[in-house]
Amino acid sequence: MFKKFDEKESISGILQLKSSVQKGIRNKLIEQYPHLEGYIDNILPKKDAIRIVKCHDHVEIVVNSTGNLLFFRQREGPWMPTLKLLHKYPFFLPMEQVDKGAIKFVLSGANIMCPGLTSPGARMTEAPKGAIVAIMAEGKQHALAIGLTSLSTEEIAKVNKGVGIENVHYLNDGLWQMKPVK
């Protein structure tokens, strides 16, 4: 999604949100990520001026008053955290770990294949199909990417071929490179 993302060409507009819309987004985030409930006031303070950055391909990015990119979604889909936010609050997404051999492919934007999640260096946390997950790497401390499961973890282990997780946002992609929006 963000492989060829360039902030100068991709951003089409920035909207200041009304407080009722901000409240709706906060509630949706708490519903989607229950572990964030105690931290939501740090991430999206109630009195903060929250904006939405509209981008091409129907992508929306939530930014706070300091311009930090917090969450994004495509076409009214689920809100997903940016990697920078996930590095600050690493506990609110289920973690799927790939083996060392998959690292360079994940960092180039490739989807995560089932064998990369079932090999000896990999670990899976139970997650249903369509769940937003943090993609970790064997021997690394922080998440490499954020993905959307194509199969449940049970099906990934059973089938063991094909795409297991769709790579949505990874280190050094266009969203990672994007500067705070003023």
Side-chain angles (χ1 to χ4, degrees):
M1 182 186 316
F2 295 106
K3 202 172 219 170
K4 292 183 172 72
F5 187 84
D6 177 62
E7 58 186 295
K8 288 183 183 76
E9 295 170 16
S10 298
I11 295 177
S12 56
I14 300 172
L15 296 172
Q16 176 70 45
L17 296 179
K18 291 191 273 183
S19 58
S20 59
V21 176
Q22 290 180 24
K23 189 175 181 181
I25 290 174
R26 283 171 55 95
N27 291 339
K28 184 81 173 156
L29 290 171
I30 291 169
E31 178 188 314
Q32 202 174 331
Y33 306 109
H35 298 304
L36 269 187
E37 193 160 2
Y39 302 91
I40 196 74
D41 287 331
N42 296 345
I43 298 168
L44 289 173
K46 287 181 180 172
K47 300 289 181 196
D48 209 354
I50 298 169
R51 294 171 293 166
I52 291 260
V53 176
K54 296 248 183 205
C55 306
H56 297 307
D57 297 329
H58 304 278
V59 173
E60 296 177 323
I61 305 169
V62 173
V63 294
N64 61 12
S65 60
T66 57
N68 295 327
L69 314 168
L70 302 172
F71 293 91
F72 65 93
R73 71 177 178 178
Q74 187 174 23
R75 295 189 184 272
E76 301 296 317
W79 288 107
M80 295 181 228
T82 61
L83 271 169
K84 289 179 183 177
L85 181 67
L86 185 64
H87 288 173
K88 286 182 190 166
Y89 302 94
F91 52 83
F92 74 94
L93 287 181
M95 294 181 187
E96 309 299 343
Q97 182 175 301
V98 296
D99 58 8
K100 285 182 178 174
I103 296 173
K104 68 178 179 185
F105 298 107
V106 173
L107 291 177
S108 64
N111 290 331
I112 294 80
M113 307 306 281
C114 293
L117 292 164
T118 57
S119 67
R123 279 200 314 259
M124 286 194 290
T125 308
E126 200 168 311
K129 178 181 179 176
I132 299 160
V133 294
I135 299 160
M136 310 299 282
E138 179 183 8
K140 303 295 179 203
Q141 182 181 349
H142 294 290
L144 298 176
I146 292 173
L148 204 57
T149 54
S150 304
L151 304 165
S152 70
T153 47
E154 198 177 288
E155 292 169 320
I156 289 171
K158 202 184 302 176
V159 174
N160 205 21
K161 68 177 177 198
V163 175
I165 301 173
E166 181 188 339
N167 191 342
V168 180
H169 168 39
Y170 55 94
L171 288 174
N172 275 337
D173 67 1
L175 185 59
W176 175 266
Q177 300 284 344
M178 196 169 158
K179 292 172 181 56
V181 178
K182 298 294 176 206

